[in-house]
Amino acid sequence: MSTHILWLIGRRLAAAVLTLLIVSVVIFAITAILPGDSAQQILGQFATPEQIEALRQQLGLNQPAIVRYLDWFGGLLSGNLGESMTNNMPVTELLQGRLGNTLMLALVTSVVSVPVALLLGITAAIYRGGRLDKCLSTLTLALVAVPEFLVATLAVLIFAVKLRWFSALSYASDVTSPLAFIRTYTLPVMTLCFVIVAQMARMTRAAVVDQLDSSYAEMARLKGLGNLRIALVHALPNAVGPIANAIALSLSYLFGGVVIVETIFNYPGIASLMVDAVTNRDIALVQACTMLFCSGYLLLVLIADVSAILSNPRLRTR
Amino acid sequence: MTELLHVKNLRVNARGGAGEIEIVRNVSFSLGKGEVLALIGESGSGKTTIALSLLGYARHGCRIAGGEIWVDGTDVLSLDDKTLQQWRGHRIAYIAQSAAAAFNPSKRLLDQVIESALLHGVGSRAELERKAVELFRDLALPNPETIGQRYPHQVSGGQLQRLMAAMALIADPLLVILDEPTTALDVTTQVEVLQTFRDAVKRRNATAVYVSHDLAVVAQMADHIVVLNGGEIREHNRTERILHHADDAYTRSLLGAARPHGKPKAVTRLPAEAEPLLSIKGLIAGYGKPDSLGLPASRILEDIELELRPGQAIGIIGESGSGKSTLARVVAGLLPAARGKVRFRGEELPGQLSQRSAEQFRRIQLVFQNADTALNPMHTVGTLLGRPLKAYFGLTGKAQRQRVLELLDQVRLPHTLIDRKPGALSGGQKQRVNLARALAAKPDLILCDEVTSALDTVVGAAILDLLAELRRELGLAYLFISHDISSVRALCDDVVVMYQGHQVQTGSTSALLEPPAHPYTDLLVRSVPELRQGWLEENRDLARLELPALDDYQDNGELCTFLDRCPKRINGLCNSTAPGRKTLSSGSVTLCHLDEEAMLPLLPVLAQPSAQEPRLYKVNG
Amino acid sequence: MSTSVSNPSRTSALPRITSPWRSVGAVVCLFWLVMAVIGPWLAPHDVGQVVSDDIFGPLSAQYPLGTDYMGRDMLSRMLVAARYTVGLALVAALLSSMIGTFIALAAAVSPRWLEDGICRLMDALIAIPSKMLALVIVAGFGSSVPLLIITAIIGYAPGAFRIAYSLAASLYTMEYVQVAQTRGESRLYIALREMLPNMLNPVLADLGLRFVFIVLLLSGLSFLGLGVQPPDADLGSLVRENIGGLSQGAAALIAPALAIGTLTVGVNLLIDRISSHRNGR
């Protein structure tokens, strides 16, 4: 690997870190510079001004915003995410118990959705303009706009209520056997996959079609290569960058999707924890969850960028 | 001679607004084994469409509507998809216009060269790789053993074009189709590629169809010429017959536009003491972050000196990447100079647009190459021309419209175009509107950046005539940027030759065309194909020049930029010290170590004292 | 020649197969637009009025969409809720697109440092999944109709910015813009007269997408109980209220969920139709 590549990757990494910094400022600004503050929140509306003042002192709320931000951000770096007010326990502990569940859900969803989407997208691109392509295009076009809770309610209705194949609620702790695993994960994963697969398949198709429209693809046709070979051997390697990007974007959409899905299926993950935190205005917890999701997003985009760089011989062999 | 290709009543349709439009109409021709036929025509003539049909292929939106294409006794159009695939790349091979786009950027060259032959079972991988290396050697590619291991971006444009030829020839096809194979190349590269193509075709006794818009190129390559216009054959004859005794009026108009435009005319010179309109001294400019000395990371222009008097036309000539357009951008204020002075009408011209005065904006106008991108597609002709009138002269309403109509007259366009948008105009009309917009400012100086390059020859020639007329009528000064010597010659008094950002020669247009000249100027001038057969043969020395050997040297960025291609370089001098400016007896200034004697041609030029005076010139007037 | 090949596609109106799906999009969109305007007047019952003892009642002639978890007429509730969903999303989408586009134009004609700064900030906002951002804002400021609109704008204007900026940045390098610069035109003139007209088509298509996203976001928030607050309700709130009917497959649950689905899918189909019509495919 050349130093040039390392330099390019280093630059992407630096950009991601900078973005994360800005994100942290934005999140802190929204959550910490608000009219009603947490002291009021904790003590309730009947607290005397003195009590509130005392608590404010104790929580350090009287310090300037910049000091509080640095405090908070320093805590993030050292793994101290603060204290959850509603649960009366450190945020780190709360997250630890649930992070694994959400990651598991995301992992299973990715493992199912990525191959399916790539297969659909590439197939549609190869048979571009044909009946299969038209059907897939219309179907995915419709599916990208379907709200998760519609998919989820219909899925529960059909598979849990009518057919009684799976349970309507998913407790990750129930998983003791492969069968239980399937029972627990099928419905949430299916719900998440619907939208993501549609989105990813569309973007994959577009990326491959873009390459199939290029001069070198025409040249390949004119030197007597078949459609399949042109698509797989010629177009696909050049579409790696855009496809990686499509996967990253779609998977990041998953972060939005889990919020709904975990709530509907009562799945004990971070997203449902966050929804509760928002309802209870448990600011430290909200901040931590958001930072976690944003880091996840930036990591995905970074991976996509790096694979785009590595797949480009123009950059690889300078 | 046996007939190899026979095209009968070929028709190709394109889907259009109301049903289908015929873009190729009843085209028939045939070609004997071992012969080369040229399809020639302007854009829209259907030449590429016909060439692609020979492979049984029509682009998206088009279809082959009828006819027969017999190749070696088989009708290609009757083949099923599978068989057609077997034919393509095996029996009929194709060489595309832009090799840079036609090679897959992410696969190694050798794999792409042998891919088709391997799939069609022409030979084993090892055999084909060996054959490819032979072909690479044959096509004069450097490092034939290893060049195949590279990726497309690692070799030059001329080399890619030759690699594509290797890809086409590797299966020993019956028929090779060359689709404008040298159009995307610079003229000095073109001559090398033409030379190797011609040799390769001759040596294999291959049958070829050569598509081009350039009659001079075709004259070197083809035995027969088919002249196309609007999807129909205008004339089909042997090459010498077409060149000397064209029957068809359209063919004659093509020939007329392809010939150099007479002698550079003696322009009514302004007195030499007239204050220069534009003077450039020691200009350095480029892109990227400035270093500690304030010089840009990538320097495009080095030490440019130029003086343009009112009413004078100076041509800036050079190949792509020579920095000629950057010079126009600096004068226009789109790129600030890093060093040096640009003075206009005696005042220093600020580098930043924001510091220029309204008068300076008005007096200097920029006309771009491509009217498609230079005219806002959402504005009508009236708006496009009206806006500068309002901005510079505050003209509105009736007065503005009156002046717009005058401008349309000036560029010979009908008044009815005033409410059209650029999308509804032809290429030539758009370029005239583009010019009229500059004229609206009543400028002193027009910077013309390749204004005729995107146009067909005939249309381009008309624009050149218009430019010359406007100059006479309005006393305009031009900085005329072009890669085409004949248009510079037709319009300009003086010429600046640029090579990789350096101004290698400056002088009057007539002095430029005669030796002695800078070795690069010499190569550039002599590389332009002439409109007569046999030119390529006579100028074999242009392609594979034996360069004088050089000892190892360190390039500190000061040495001559033409050093690595120069046929007259001197070991110990050119590779050790920077060249200085030198005035020749013709008045030209060159940037070269050589003295006049040494600049004279290496070989005595064969019976052609002036390389640009075509023998044919008097044949039809 | 290749140019003659590309010409026909520019004149659009290629003979093409009109898929029934495509006109479906237009019909559905029109339907919801009309409902948003006149829906509340068509409501047979008062939104809050309990009209039946039967909770999660089935479809019937009297209550065409059944009754909800409290025995209220579902049709009336939906007709009122649709106005919230469509209206809020429309306002928010229009504002997001406009704000995104204008910031993009401003960035494109700004000096380099400002342009980079704006892009960096927008990149950061895009990096926050919009649902997360919405949750954070609700956590910080609570939930009200104006706040929901602002939330949607902060969430989706950066996306509109990205589309518009990539258009604007490439338009800014166009030669006609350079010609305008060398004429001494102001940045404002260049942005509004030279660039904006050439961005309108893709920006309008993007506006449709923003609308879809925002409908999904707002109904998602309401579904979580963090969007439109009772007694007001949008379609997402109706899904939430009646989630208890899931086990019996109640119409009161399925109807609003389906309604959102048809709205978003319909708009999506319509955009696709319009933009593919423009591209002449």
Side-chain angles (χ1 to χ4, degrees):
Chain A
M1 213 186 305
S2 68
T3 49
H4 179 68
I5 290 249
L6 287 177
W7 186 75
L8 277 178
I9 293 176
R11 239 178 45 165
R12 294 295 153 93
L13 189 67
V17 170
L18 182 59
T19 308
L20 196 61
L21 267 174
I22 302 176
V23 166
S24 72
V25 173
V26 170
I27 291 174
F28 187 81
I30 298 175
T31 48
I33 310 171
L34 60 163
D37 72 42
S38 5
Q40 178 88 59
Q41 198 76 38
I42 294 168
L43 297 173
Q45 50 181 312
F46 301 112
T48 64
E50 290 76 27
Q51 283 173 305
I52 291 176
E53 190 48 39
L55 189 64
R56 285 175 70 102
Q57 284 291 356
Q58 191 191 334
L59 293 174
L61 289 176
N62 283 345
Q63 283 170 308
I66 179 86
V67 175
R68 282 187 288 143
Y69 168 75
L70 289 176
D71 250 17
W72 171 71
F73 194 72
L76 280 188
L77 292 183
S78 59
N80 170 20
L81 304 179
E83 193 84 6
S84 160
M85 286 179 297
T86 39
N87 298 291
N88 279 324
M89 58 195 282
V91 170
T92 334
E93 259 174 59
L94 268 173
L95 291 183
Q96 258 166 11
R98 293 187 168 218
L99 183 61
N101 291 343
T102 297
L103 284 180
M104 190 66 192
L105 186 60
L107 183 72
V108 178
T109 308
S110 315
V111 167
V112 175
S113 63
V114 173
V116 173
L118 292 188
L119 192 71
L120 289 180
I122 294 168
T123 315
I126 293 175
Y127 299 104
R128 171 162 58 135
R131 192 175 299 162
L132 181 69
D133 178 35
K134 281 194 177 128
C135 288
L136 280 177
S137 284
T138 312
L139 188 69
T140 51
L141 182 66
L143 284 183
V144 282
V146 170
E148 294 91 2
F149 51 79
L150 175 60
V151 182
T153 25
L154 292 181
V156 168
L157 212 59
I158 295 168
F159 296 107
V161 177
K162 292 274 188 287
L163 297 174
R164 297 187 175 283
W165 286 357
F166 311 108
S167 67
L169 301 179
S170 307
Y171 296 107
S173 51
D174 286 353
V175 178
T176 46
S177 67
L179 195 67
F181 180 85
I182 291 174
R183 283 179 66 89
T184 311
Y185 280 99
T186 303
L187 286 183
V189 167
M190 196 171 81
T191 308
L192 284 171
C193 279
F194 253 81
V195 175
I196 293 172
V197 165
Q199 203 175 351
M200 228 186 300
R202 286 186 74 78
M203 288 197 266
T204 305
R205 178 189 179 277
V208 177
V209 162
D210 205 36
Q211 295 299 323
L212 288 177
D213 279 339
S214 65
S215 298
Y216 73 79
E218 180 176 67
M219 186 66 216
R221 213 159 286 135
L222 291 175
K223 63 182 195 185
L225 308 189
N227 277 341
L228 199 65
R229 187 175 169 91
I230 295 172
L232 297 182
V233 178
H234 282 267
L236 204 54
N238 290 296
V240 167
I243 290 179
N245 214 352
I247 295 176
L249 282 181
S250 304
L251 291 185
S252 72
Y253 182 85
L254 199 136
F255 296 146
V258 285
V259 176
I260 306 279
V261 168
E262 288 189 3
T263 309
I264 292 183
F265 294 102
N266 240 333
Y267 184 88
I270 294 190
S272 53
L273 183 69
M274 181 173 172
V275 173
D276 292 339
V278 171
T279 318
N280 303 325
R281 304 189 91 174
D282 189 343
I283 298 300
L285 192 50
V286 172
Q287 289 169 335
C289 291
T290 319
M291 285 306 288
L292 208 60
F293 280 112
C294 292
S295 318
Y297 169 85
L298 286 169
L299 187 67
L300 277 174
V301 172
L302 187 66
I303 292 172
D305 273 354
V306 170
S307 42
I309 291 174
L310 293 181
S311 75
N312 186 343
R314 233 174 275 232
L315 302 176
R316 203 170 56 215
T317 58
R318 242 168 71 124
Chain B
M1 188 162 303
T2 48
E3 188 181 271
L4 182 91
L5 169 70
H6 183 69
V7 176
K8 215 167 122 189
N9 298 331
L10 177 69
R11 287 183 297 120
V12 182
N13 290 0
R15 272 180 285 160
E20 294 195 330
I21 310 165
E22 278 201 326
I23 56 170
V24 171
R25 279 172 235 163
N26 275 332
V27 164
S28 304
F29 58 86
S30 53
L31 180 63
K33 214 171 209 142
E35 290 188 311
V36 178
L37 174 119
L39 296 174
I40 192 149
E42 306 186 291
S43 55
S45 63
K47 54 188 192 299
T48 293
T49 313
I50 294 172
L52 290 172
S53 311
L54 301 181
L55 292 137
Y57 180 80
R59 289 220 165 108
H60 187 72
C62 297
R63 70 181 181 91
I64 300 171
E68 296 160 26
I69 294 174
W70 295 89
V71 176
D72 200 28
T74 309
D75 181 7
V76 173
L77 299 183
S78 70
L79 298 176
D80 60 76
D81 284 358
K82 202 99 213 134
T83 327
L84 197 57
Q85 252 180 46
Q86 274 293 325
W87 273 67
R88 289 180 186 161
H90 184 187
R91 307 223 173 135
I92 310 174
Y94 179 76
I95 299 178
Q97 175 172 154
S98 163
F103 272 105
N104 187 332
S106 66
K107 289 173 63 90
R108 287 179 199 278
L109 289 163
L110 186 61
D111 294 334
Q112 298 193 55
V113 167
I114 65 167
E115 182 181 23
S116 163
L118 194 62
L119 282 176
H120 293 143
V122 174
S124 71
R125 175 172 282 273
E127 280 165 22
L128 288 170
E129 284 185 359
R130 233 182 354 260
K131 194 166 173 191
V133 172
E134 263 169 50
L135 272 167
F136 294 164
R137 194 167 287 130
D138 228 23
L139 290 162
L141 284 160
N143 311 318
E145 302 285 343
T146 53
I147 195 169
Q149 296 308 316
R150 303 199 189 179
Y151 287 98
H153 70 276
Q154 294 171 310
V155 304
S156 75
Q159 290 168 1
L160 272 183
Q161 209 68 47
R162 281 180 268 171
L163 283 158
M164 176 124 62
M167 180 157 84
L169 295 174
I170 195 157
D172 293 315
L174 297 166
L175 178 64
V176 185
I177 294 158
L178 301 101
D179 186 359
E180 304 246 18
T182 61
T183 306
L185 304 175
D186 282 321
V187 62
T188 55
T189 319
Q190 163 171 287
V191 73
E192 291 171 26
V193 172
L194 282 180
Q195 201 75 262
T196 48
F197 276 15
R198 192 184 147 84
D199 290 349
V201 167
K202 284 270 173 286
R203 203 168 308 137
R204 287 178 174 68
N205 198 23
T207 315
V209 172
Y210 194 103
V211 178
S212 180
H213 69 283
D214 188 339
L215 268 165
V217 164
V218 160
Q220 313 312 318
M221 306 298 287
D223 306 309
H224 303 270
I225 294 180
V226 170
V227 180
L228 292 158
N229 180 232
E232 283 174 322
I233 295 187
R234 298 301 293 254
E235 188 165 3
H236 175 190
N237 226 320
R238 294 197 64 82
T239 304
E240 62 265 26
R241 169 97 197 166
I242 297 246
L243 293 181
H244 295 276
H245 306 286
D247 294 327
D248 185 75
Y250 176 74
T251 310
R252 284 201 296 271
S253 77
L254 281 184
L255 285 162
R259 295 221 166 85
H261 282 53
K263 277 276 184 198
K265 54 216 153 287
V267 183
T268 43
R269 285 279 170 114
L270 293 132
E273 67 269 22
E275 193 191 347
L277 182 66
L278 177 76
S279 89
I280 299 174
K281 279 213 165 45
L283 173 71
I284 298 178
Y287 300 93
K289 280 215 177 75
D291 61 14
S292 54
L293 295 169
L295 291 168
S298 126
R299 277 150 81 166
I300 307 293
L301 292 174
E302 286 287 346
D303 193 22
I304 305 294
E305 307 266 337
L306 188 81
E307 230 170 60
L308 179 70
R309 275 163 292 136
Q312 194 188 13
I314 294 188
I316 313 282
I317 197 157
E319 304 184 336
S320 52
S322 62
K324 53 192 193 303
S325 293
T326 307
L327 182 57
R329 291 174 60 84
V330 172
V331 177
L334 291 169
L335 181 74
R339 283 275 193 291
K341 288 220 166 11
V342 181
R343 297 175 76 84
F344 183 72
R345 288 164 53 90
E347 291 167 35
E348 192 161 327
L349 206 53
Q352 301 284 348
L353 275 173
S354 52
Q355 289 156 13
R356 292 201 174 178
S357 70
E359 250 328 70
Q360 284 169 338
F361 282 133
R362 181 184 72 76
R363 287 175 184 273
I364 303 174
Q365 291 291 314
L366 178 60
V367 178
F368 280 108
Q369 166 179 5
N370 193 341
D372 283 322
T373 49
L375 302 178
N376 194 327
M378 301 301 284
H379 293 177
T380 62
V381 172
T383 317
L384 287 165
L385 300 182
R387 179 67 197 179
L389 293 175
K390 179 161 184 289
Y392 296 128
F393 306 109
L395 283 184
T396 50
K398 251 211 164 81
Q400 190 195 70
R401 194 178 164 86
Q402 194 50 44
R403 179 81 181 105
V404 168
L405 294 177
E406 278 172 39
L407 286 167
L408 287 177
D409 287 337
Q410 240 168 16
V411 295
R412 312 332 177 226
L413 284 176
H415 291 179
T416 45
L417 298 186
I418 193 165
D419 292 319
R420 298 232 193 125
K421 288 184 178 175
L425 304 179
S426 74
Q429 287 174 332
K430 272 183 268 194
Q431 199 56 285
R432 282 165 194 265
V433 173
N434 200 4
L435 210 55
R437 177 169 60 186
L439 295 177
K442 296 192 174 160
D444 296 333
L445 168 63
I446 299 188
L447 311 167
C448 301
D449 190 358
E450 300 265 13
V451 284
T452 57
S453 306
L455 303 172
D456 284 322
T457 340
V458 175
V459 183
I463 295 278
L464 276 181
D465 289 342
L466 177 65
L467 282 169
E469 273 173 51
L470 289 171
R471 187 180 157 204
R472 267 198 305 278
E473 285 168 23
L474 307 171
L476 296 167
Y478 294 139
L479 207 57
F480 185 83
I481 289 149
S482 179
H483 67 274
D484 176 28
I485 293 183
S486 73
S487 44
V488 168
R489 181 184 143 97
L491 189 70
C492 301
D493 313 317
D494 283 6
V495 184
V496 171
V497 181
M498 308 265 305
Y499 185 76
Q500 293 192 1
H502 288 254
Q503 180 181 4
V504 297
Q505 183 167 349
T506 313
S508 70
T509 308
S510 47
L512 169 92
L513 299 173
E514 313 267 345
H518 188 283
Y520 173 67
T521 312
D522 186 54
L523 180 66
L524 185 69
V525 169
R526 295 208 296 130
S527 293
V528 180
E530 287 174 33
L531 189 50
R532 62 186 174 85
Q533 287 179 293
W535 172 84
L536 193 61
E537 283 300 306
E538 287 162 22
N539 290 281
R540 296 201 69 88
D541 64 306
L542 289 172
R544 275 175 237 178
L545 294 165
E546 291 295 320
L547 304 183
L550 293 180
D551 297 333
D552 285 348
Y553 63 95
Q554 282 269 303
D555 191 354
N556 52 3
E558 302 267 290
L559 296 180
C560 172
T561 44
F562 191 53
L563 179 60
D564 54 342
R565 288 177 64 192
C566 183
K568 292 172 190 164
R569 61 196 186 185
I570 301 167
N571 190 22
L573 180 62
C574 296
N575 53 352
S576 67
T577 41
R581 289 219 158 92
K582 202 174 274 178
T583 309
L584 305 179
S585 53
S586 63
S588 289
V589 178
T590 61
L591 189 68
C592 188
H593 286 292
L594 300 179
D595 51 31
E596 263 180 68
E597 200 88 335
M599 281 181 184
L600 290 167
L602 282 176
L603 310 163
V605 177
L606 306 160
Q608 287 278 315
S610 159
Q612 276 290 307
E613 191 65 342
R615 206 169 26 190
L616 282 170
Y617 197 62
K618 288 144 210 125
V619 172
N620 76 56
Chain C
M1 203 47 220
S2 56
T3 44
S4 61
V5 177
S6 64
N7 275 341
S9 68
R10 277 229 311 265
T11 53
S12 79
L14 281 175
R16 50 193 195 84
I17 310 117
T18 37
S19 150
W21 280 102
R22 302 216 150 142
S23 24
V24 166
V27 172
V28 171
C29 288
L30 194 68
F31 171 79
W32 281 113
L33 213 58
V34 172
M35 281 306 127
V37 178
I38 62 165
W41 291 301
L42 295 182
H45 300 274
D46 186 75
V47 216
Q49 189 192 357
V50 176
V51 292
S52 162
D53 294 337
D54 193 11
I55 61 167
F56 295 127
L59 311 185
S60 65
Q62 195 182 2
Y63 309 115
L65 289 178
T67 56
D68 77 349
Y69 75 108
M70 284 170 68
R72 293 174 292 195
D73 176 41
M74 204 51 211
L75 177 65
S76 309
R77 288 192 68 73
M78 291 240 328
L79 285 171
V80 176
R83 175 179 279 185
Y84 270 98
T85 297
V86 176
L88 271 181
L90 205 57
V91 171
L94 276 170
L95 288 173
S96 309
S97 261
M98 276 164 56
I99 292 171
T101 306
F102 280 101
I103 298 177
L105 277 172
V109 299
S110 289
R112 187 93 219 161
W113 61 270
L114 187 58
E115 182 176 353
D116 287 347
I118 294 174
C119 289
R120 186 56 59 213
L121 180 68
M122 290 294 158
D123 273 354
L125 285 179
I126 289 170
I128 311 177
S130 47
K131 277 208 184 84
M132 298 294 153
L133 186 67
L135 290 180
V136 172
I137 295 176
V138 171
F141 300 96
S143 185
S144 65
V145 166
L147 201 74
L148 284 176
I149 292 179
I150 293 172
T151 303
I153 292 172
I154 299 178
Y156 285 107
F161 166 85
R162 181 146 68 177
I163 303 281
Y165 177 72
S166 73
L167 289 166
S170 72
L171 284 175
Y172 195 66
T173 63
M174 290 301 267
E175 290 169 351
Y176 53 80
V177 170
Q178 296 182 6
V179 169
Q181 285 174 326
T182 58
R183 197 161 62 216
E185 298 283 5
S186 67
R187 292 174 200 269
L188 189 70
Y189 174 86
I190 288 174
L192 296 185
R193 296 279 290 133
E194 299 283 352
M195 287 156 67
L196 186 61
N198 288 294
M199 293 164 60
L200 235 41
N201 285 350
V203 161
L204 284 178
D206 180 63
L207 169 69
L209 277 185
R210 300 288 125 206
F211 176 79
V212 171
F213 291 147
I214 292 174
V215 168
L216 292 176
L217 174 76
L218 294 182
S219 48
L221 277 183
S222 293
F223 173 77
L224 296 172
L226 302 168
V228 176
Q229 296 300 313
D232 296 326
D234 68 355
L235 292 171
S237 326
L238 297 189
V239 177
R240 175 187 174 79
E241 286 174 356
N242 297 303
I243 196 77
L246 184 60
S247 55
Q248 21 181 321
L253 171 63
I254 298 170
L258 269 179
I260 298 167
T262 56
L263 173 63
T264 49
V265 171
V267 174
N268 222 6
L269 290 174
L270 183 69
I271 304 166
D272 183 63
R273 181 187 171 159
I274 293 173
S275 49
S276 64
H277 194 78
R278 277 227 183 79
N279 299 334
R281 286 192 186 223

